[in-house]
């Protein structure tokens, strides 16, 4: 069960796996006990915060404003027209589609999203949707008022 939770939290992202593995190893090394659910619960929040700080903040800082807006649109299940509007791109629907698709391609190339079906995408990085939500929360240290 614990290994399943670790796999879900890391989602195949090697940095996340190393970070969580180190935190779990360090916690069990200090306590001299085998890993268990209580240990995992304690380090989970520390892991999430470090993942956001050590990886996602850097990734997000290196994105353009429209890259960020595109990702916010995806995170909020917006349509192409809504994403184009978020990007302040007010042209014909076909032009909006082409405009938004270039950001979709960029995010696929940067391994932040992956196509699922019929133009839909999903985030490749574990908890990245939660991270994006933090950037929209005025009470968060990650709040990005530009978006």
């Amino acid at each position: 069960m614990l290994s399943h939770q670790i796999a879900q939290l890391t989602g195949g992202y090697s940095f996340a796996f190393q970070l969580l593995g180190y935190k779990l190893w360090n916690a069990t090394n200090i306590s001299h006990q085998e890993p268990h659910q209580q240990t995992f619960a304690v380090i989970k929040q520390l892991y999430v915060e470090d993942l956001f700080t050590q990886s996602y903040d850097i990734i997000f800082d290196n994105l353009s404003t429209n890259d960020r807006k595109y990702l916010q649109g995806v995170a909020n299940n917006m349509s192409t027209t809504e994403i184009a509007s978020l990007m302040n791109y007010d042209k014909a629907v076909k032009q909006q589609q082409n405009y938004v698709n270039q950001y979709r391609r960029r995010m696929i190339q940067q391994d932040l999203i992956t196509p699922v079906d019929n133009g839909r995408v999903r985030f490749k990085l574990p908890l990245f949707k939660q991270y994006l939500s933090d950037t929209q929360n005025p009470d968060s240290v990650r709040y990005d008022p530009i978006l």
Side-chain angles (χ1 to χ4, degrees):
M1 172 135 169
L2 191 59
S3 59
H4 179 70
Q5 289 176 309
I6 290 170
Q8 281 188 315
L9 269 179
T10 58
Y13 182 36
S14 59
F15 176 78
F17 184 77
Q18 291 171 339
L19 180 64
L20 185 56
Y22 172 74
K23 291 204 168 295
L24 192 57
W25 172 82
N26 197 33
T28 56
N29 203 24
I30 291 170
S31 68
H32 302 291
Q33 295 179 359
E34 290 295 313
H36 51 77
Q37 197 62 43
Q38 290 171 325
T39 306
F40 185 73
V42 170
I43 66 164
K44 181 179 175 182
Q45 189 56 42
L46 296 171
Y47 156 75
V48 170
E49 185 57 38
D50 283 352
L51 178 66
F52 287 5
T53 301
Q54 294 176 25
S55 183
Y56 296 174
D57 282 347
I58 295 165
I59 291 168
F60 197 70
D61 287 346
N62 287 311
L63 297 173
S64 74
T65 299
N66 277 346
D67 288 336
R68 294 175 186 185
K69 288 179 180 182
Y70 172 79
L71 291 173
Q72 283 297 340
V74 169
N76 291 311
N77 298 316
M78 291 181 169
S79 69
T80 300
T81 303
E82 291 170 323
I83 294 172
S85 178
L86 184 64
M87 294 175 165
N88 298 318
Y89 190 79
D90 299 324
K91 303 282 183 186
V93 173
K94 185 65 175 167
Q95 289 174 312
Q96 288 177 344
Q97 180 88 31
N98 292 335
Y99 185 75
V100 171
N101 278 344
Q102 72 180 321
Y103 290 96
R104 179 180 186 269
R105 280 190 298 277
R106 286 166 50 109
M107 296 303 96
I108 290 170
Q109 288 172 346
Q110 291 187 32
D111 274 342
L112 296 179
I113 60 172
T114 188
V116 179
D117 60 27
N118 286 345
R120 300 187 58 80
V121 296
R122 71 170 175 79
F123 293 104
K124 286 185 84 171
L125 300 174
L127 305 172
F128 199 67
K129 188 173 183 176
Q130 180 182 332
Y131 174 83
L132 291 171
S133 178
D134 272 6
T135 67
Q136 297 303 292
N137 178 357
D139 295 330
S140 170
V141 296
R142 294 184 173 77
Y143 179 60
D144 188 353
I146 294 173
L147 300 177

